[in-house]
């Protein structure tokens, strides 16, 4: 397969899909999907386990054994900074209970509880392709697609309410 080079620029849109404990998309009445462009940034942080190194020197100081196991990717941490706080998205990410309005009331929110972080979701992100390869031969915009198919252990970061905009 030939590789394709592209110049990604800007975050276009993300999609979050609620997953079961086994990493399968939830269907039916309990399913949940959110598509949004209401984010400021998404940071990826790979976490690697260093391979074990084996080094033995001979009595004369020369190497006798010099071997290292390969490093292994353990997980990729995601940090998503939202400027449009979509409580449906927060409920999928955290597994917490969505608070919705009743007749005569306005607003929405999340009821944060205590306990293990068991919610699972997939996270997908699209970026525009910039420059000479921005469009395909038919003139359609091309995109870079990032997929994180089974994410969990999501935590909400600090949140400040002040005389200014709030992000989460």
């Amino acid at each position: 397969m030939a590789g394709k080079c592209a110049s990604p620029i800007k975050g276009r849109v993300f999609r979050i899909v609620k997953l079961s404990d086994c990493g399968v998309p939830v269907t039916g009445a309990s399913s949940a999907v959110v598509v949004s462009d209401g984010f400021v940034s998404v940071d990826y942080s790979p976490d690697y386990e260093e391979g074990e190194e084996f080094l033995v020197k001979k009595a004369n100081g020369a190497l006798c054994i010099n071997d290292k196991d390969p490093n292994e990717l353990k997980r990729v941490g995601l940090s998503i900074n939202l400027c449009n706080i979509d409580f449906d998205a927060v409920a999928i990410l955290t597994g917490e209970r969505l608070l919705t309005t009743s007749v005569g009331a306005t607003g929405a929110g999340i009821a944060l509880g205590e306990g293990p972080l068991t919610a699972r979701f997939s996270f997908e992100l699209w970026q525009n392709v910039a420059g000479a390869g921005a469009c395909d031969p038919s003139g359609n915009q091309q995109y870079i697609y990032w997929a994180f198919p089974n994410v969990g252990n999501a935590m909400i970061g600090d949140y400040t309410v002040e005389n200014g905009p709030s992000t989460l």
Side-chain angles (χ1 to χ4, degrees):
M1 171 190 266
K4 180 173 180 150
C5 294
S7 299
I9 186 169
K10 301 180 182 179
R12 181 77 172 180
V13 67
F14 70 75
R15 176 172 51 197
I16 300 169
V17 178
K18 182 179 179 181
L19 303 178
S20 72
D21 293 343
C22 295
V24 177
V26 175
T27 59
S30 297
S31 67
V33 176
V34 170
V35 177
S36 177
D37 67 353
F39 63 101
V40 177
S41 63
V42 176
D43 297 317
Y44 317 129
S45 298
D47 184 8
Y48 294 96
E49 178 71 24
E50 290 284 327
E52 189 171 354
E53 188 169 354
F54 304 92
L55 187 65
V56 176
K57 291 183 179 182
K58 298 182 213 176
N60 67 5
L63 293 179
C64 179
I65 298 172
N66 182 9
D67 191 51
K68 184 177 184 287
D69 292 339
N71 298 335
E72 293 188 49
L73 177 63
K74 294 190 293 186
R75 66 190 63 85
V76 176
L78 293 174
S79 180
I80 305 164
N81 188 7
L82 303 172
C83 62
N84 289 338
I85 301 173
D86 183 324
F87 289 106
D88 290 319
V90 176
I92 296 170
L93 296 172
T94 63
E96 299 293 354
R97 186 168 52 95
L98 178 66
L99 300 174
T100 57
T101 61
S102 60
V103 177
T106 60
I110 296 291
L112 296 175
E114 296 178 345
L117 304 173
T118 59
R120 310 282 322 159
F121 59 93
S122 69
F123 183 80
E124 301 161 276
L125 177 67
W126 285 263
Q127 289 183 278
N128 289 351
V129 171
C135 297
D136 68 14
S138 300
N140 298 310
Q141 172 69 51
Q142 297 204 92
Y143 300 94
I144 300 295
Y145 171 72
W146 298 93
F148 301 89
N150 192 351
V151 183
N153 214 22
M155 298 180 288
I156 295 176
D158 294 340
Y159 183 76
T160 302
V161 176
E162 61 187 354
N163 182 22
S166 294
T167 60
L168 177 67

